[in-house]
Amino acid sequence: MFKEKSPIYPVLFILILTVILTTILAFLDQVTEPVIAFNQELELKEKILNVFDLYDENMDDEEINRFFDEHVTKEDYKDEVLYILEENGETMAYAVPFEGPGLWGSIKGYLGLSGDLQEITGVEFIKQDETPGLGGRISEAPYKEQYRGLSVESPEDGAIVINKPAPGGNIDAIAGATQTSTFVTNMINEDVTAFIEERKGE
């Protein structure tokens, strides 16, 4: 029998405690995984509806899911998902994926285009690691709302959106975060212009 002061006791205690805690964490992870997945999917649906300028904060989870399932379809597009808003079989708008490097990490989002590819309906960011209070403000409403209703000029020059005060500027860059603002407009112009040219060529 081990003596009370034997060093084996602390080792056994730590081992048993580790097994118990690991089991509890594994159980919690298994239980919460479906909830986390549901919330992530719901958040994405909210953002896509906002890109289409259709999201209402008063909508509950059931209304969001029902509206999304009835009016939004998905299409594979360059290893990403293209969301299409449809009404009575007619394409009303597209949520076009864009992605590129930011100042501190990659930035991913969606830009909304009307079905005739003539107007921007909105923008949302799915992933961004920019500095809170500076570049991170691209996810705030005042910056995003600037995009709604912008006319899409001929994208042949590769500039759908342009930061002010440059000639033809239609978006106010974020003060103190001009690099992030430039990264965003560059990736939108590149990815969305390619989408427009592809769709018009069909």
Side-chain angles (χ1 to χ4, degrees):
M1 191 171 185
F2 297 119
K3 294 182 179 179
E4 289 187 7
K5 294 185 179 180
S6 173
I8 197 70
Y9 285 105
V11 174
L12 284 174
F13 175 77
I14 292 173
L15 181 61
I16 293 170
L17 183 62
T18 300
V19 170
I20 293 173
L21 292 177
T22 301
T23 302
I24 292 173
L25 288 174
F27 173 75
L28 290 176
D29 182 67
Q30 186 175 9
V31 169
T32 58
E33 185 177 359
V35 177
I36 293 172
F38 173 83
N39 288 334
Q40 289 176 335
E41 182 180 5
L42 184 66
E43 181 183 10
L44 177 60
K45 288 180 177 180
E46 289 175 356
K47 289 188 174 185
I48 297 302
L49 290 182
N50 194 45
V51 165
F52 293 141
D53 200 15
L54 293 173
Y55 177 65
D56 184 344
E57 292 183 355
N58 295 318
M59 297 172 73
D60 59 30
D61 296 354
E62 184 179 344
E63 289 175 317
I64 292 170
N65 281 315
R66 183 174 63 251
F67 185 89
F68 196 93
D69 293 341
E70 290 177 355
H71 298 280
V72 180
T73 60
K74 302 176 185 179
E75 182 180 310
D76 291 332
Y77 176 73
K78 295 184 177 179
D79 298 324
E80 296 289 345
V81 179
L82 172 71
Y83 293 92
I84 304 172
L85 176 67
E86 296 183 342
E87 187 70 43
N88 298 322
E90 181 181 353
T91 297
M92 305 303 294
Y94 301 94
V96 184
F98 62 83
E99 181 178 6
L103 190 60
W104 300 110
S106 63
I107 296 174
K108 297 179 68 174
Y110 282 90
L111 187 81
L113 290 174
S114 59
D116 60 6
L117 307 176
Q118 294 300 308
E119 185 177 289
I120 295 175
T121 61
V123 69
E124 270 291 355
F125 296 92
I126 308 302
K127 178 183 182 298
Q128 61 94 0
D129 300 306
E130 301 303 278
T131 306
L134 292 173
R137 292 174 60 199
I138 58 175
S139 292
E140 296 179 2
Y143 178 77
K144 295 187 296 185
E145 287 299 317
Q146 298 181 88
Y147 286 81
R148 293 204 198 279
L150 288 183
S151 174
V152 177
E153 302 292 338
S154 172
E156 294 178 1
D157 58 359
I160 297 172
V161 290
I162 303 171
N163 287 322
K164 300 175 182 177
N170 51 12
I171 296 293
D172 285 319
I174 296 173
T178 54
Q179 284 183 296
T180 298
S181 300
T182 300
F183 287 138
V184 169
T185 54
N186 284 347
M187 67 183 75
I188 287 176
N189 285 329
E190 181 177 348
D191 293 348
V192 178
T193 295
F195 171 80
I196 292 174
E197 291 176 345
E198 179 181 299
R199 289 286 152 156
K200 285 186 175 180
E202 288 183 347

